[in-house]
């Protein structure tokens, strides 16, 4: 005969929108693959580079003059924390690619400091991703990826590259820093795609 305590329901998750294996935090943990680069806004530039080598670039003044969105989204880190209702200001990737002609299916995000991560292009379009430069009404702090970072809230947060400097459009997929170190190529928190074998 099995012994079961009356009312036992297992470990409760504190939020119905919490992906499997995650816990909720009100903090904003700082995790980086290397040292935090300090980028002078007078020297900052964002580039979109197509598979043919065509470049579109924006200075800081040009970039922050683009139409901006203010998404409020939940974010999920592969280290198992989730933060709900985060508020950002940034430029939609749709806006950045509006005048770009490409046959690419993939994007490699390049950061100041050398970090890279890969994402299918369709995962960045249709209001799914931004290049964010404010968090919670303040300029984005360098430790959180400022002056500007990629924001892809439907994927684990390593796909939201900090200190963004370029989006490289590619015909083929090229795994980035964590993907070549054994992390999952897609990184969907709802499917718990943490590691290559997941």
């Amino acid at each position: 005969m099995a012994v079961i305590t009356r009312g036992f329901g297992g470990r409760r998750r504190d939020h119905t929108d919490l992906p499997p294996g995650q816990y909720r935090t009100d903090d904003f943990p700082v995790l980086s693959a290397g040292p935090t680069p300090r980028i002078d806004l007078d020297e900052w530039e964002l580039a979109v580079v197509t598979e043919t080598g065509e470049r579109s670039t924006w200075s800081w003044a040009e970039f922050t003059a683009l139409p901006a969105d203010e998404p409020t989204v939940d974010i999920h880190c592969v280290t198992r924390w989730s933060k709900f209702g985060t508020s950002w200001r940034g430029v939609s990737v749709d806006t950045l690619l509006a005048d770009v002609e490409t046959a690419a299916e993939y994007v490699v995000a390049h950061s100041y400091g050398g970090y890279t991560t890969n994402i299918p292009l369709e995962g960045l379009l249709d209001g799914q991703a931004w290049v964010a430069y404010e968090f919670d009404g303040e300029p984005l702090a360098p430790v959180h990826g400022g002056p500007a970072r990629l924001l892809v809230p439907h994927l684990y947060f390593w796909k939201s590259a900090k200190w963004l400097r370029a989006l490289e459009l590619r015909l083929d997929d090229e795994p980035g820093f964590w993907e070549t170190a054994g992390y999952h190529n897609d990184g969907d928190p709802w499917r718990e795609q943490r590691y290559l074998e997941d």
Side-chain angles (χ1 to χ4, degrees), residues 50-125:
T50 72
E51 69 277 15
T52 63
E54 290 188 42
R55 294 174 59 90
S56 301
T57 61
W58 296 266
S59 68
W60 183 254
E62 291 167 338
F63 172 69
T64 55
L66 292 172
D69 296 336
E70 296 185 354
T72 298
V73 296
D74 303 337
I75 55 176
H76 311 287
C77 184
V78 72
T79 61
R80 301 191 182 273
W81 60 261
S82 291
K83 185 173 177 64
F84 290 91
T86 61
S87 298
W88 304 82
R89 181 177 178 82
V91 178
S92 169
V93 172
D94 296 303
T95 298
L96 296 172
L97 299 182
D99 296 323
V100 174
E101 296 211 9
T102 183
E105 294 185 26
Y106 302 95
V107 175
V108 175
H110 293 266
S111 298
Y112 288 92
Y115 178 84
T116 60
T117 190
N118 58 314
I119 305 163
L121 178 57
E122 68 180 3
L124 299 179
L125 302 178

